[in-house]
Amino acid sequence: MNELTLDTALPVLRAGGVVAYPTEAVWGLGCDPAHEAAVMKLLQLKQRPVEKGMILVAADLAQLDDWVRLQALPAQRQAVVLASWPGANTWILPAGPRAPRWITGAHSGIAVRISAHPLVAALCRAWGGPLVSTSANLAGKPPARTRTELDHALLPLLDGLIDGDTGGLAQPTPIRDALSGQILRS
């Protein structure tokens, strides 16, 4: 396994690589959301259909500029979303002009989170923008909570791994519709 640091992960991501890293509750897979081949590679590794869409993580709201249209929400809904960040809350927001179909899938919105996990936030800051973040497991299989639980069939297919600890949450972050507040994944 190609062991990466924040610095050595950047050229791997720029080259269209897929990397594993710990998130708030489980290990995640990430890549450059603007790099179609990288996202397709990640989807193929996970055996996940593109129609489902992807989650993006960011270090701050500015990194989501043009990926989402927060201002399309009523002011009270914007306030609820912003009050939950940074934190372990994923929201479906209206997609912005930068969000391609390989990220939104069959949806008009995009799932995003401003992470408080130190490693995730540091990786996004070093990268200078959002990253795809999806659980590091094959579709339908349980997510890995520790590095040792990572699927041994998946590991050789990755371009690297950034070691660290998950944030200790019992469940992956909830996903809610930002307009309605409806919980889509608890």
Side-chain angles (χ1 to χ4, degrees):
M1 176 50 47
N2 186 15
E3 298 282 340
L4 301 171
T5 65
L6 290 178
D7 291 333
T8 60
L10 300 180
V12 171
L13 291 167
R14 279 188 209 104
V18 175
V19 300
Y21 56 92
T23 69
E24 292 87 349
V26 299
W27 274 73
L29 297 177
C31 68
D32 176 357
H35 195 298
E36 183 178 9
V39 175
M40 291 302 163
K41 176 181 178 179
L42 187 154
L43 290 168
Q44 183 179 12
L45 293 174
K46 277 189 63 89
Q47 301 169 8
R48 177 185 171 97
V50 69
E51 293 80 19
K52 283 187 145 187
M54 303 301 294
I55 295 174
L56 298 186
V57 291
D60 57 52
L61 187 59
Q63 290 188 339
L64 296 174
D65 281 354
D66 291 331
W67 286 96
V68 297
R69 294 180 303 115
L70 183 65
Q71 69 282 2
L73 298 176
Q76 67 192 42
R77 295 305 309 159
Q78 288 182 45
V80 169
V81 170
L82 293 174
S84 75
W85 285 338
N89 297 288
T90 301
W91 294 93
I92 307 288
L93 295 174
R98 257 186 107 176
R101 282 286 162 217
W102 63 81
I103 295 296
T104 61
H107 310 284
S108 60
I110 183 171
V112 294
R113 178 171 72 253
I114 297 176
S115 183
H117 186 283
L119 191 139
V120 174
L123 181 59
C124 291
R125 273 194 297 280
W127 174 247
L131 291 166
V132 167
S133 185
T134 185
S135 57
N137 58 294
L138 298 176
K141 300 288 184 185
R145 297 193 170 283
T146 65
R147 179 176 174 163
T148 58
E149 290 178 9
L150 287 167
D151 188 325
H152 294 289
L154 187 62
L155 287 173
L157 305 174
L158 301 177
D159 298 296
L161 179 144
I162 304 169
D163 200 14
D165 296 319
T166 62
L169 289 183
Q171 298 293 323
T173 62
I175 299 176
R176 290 178 283 198
D177 181 281
L179 189 56
S180 69
Q182 177 185 6
I183 298 173
L184 305 173
R185 177 181 81 185
S186 56

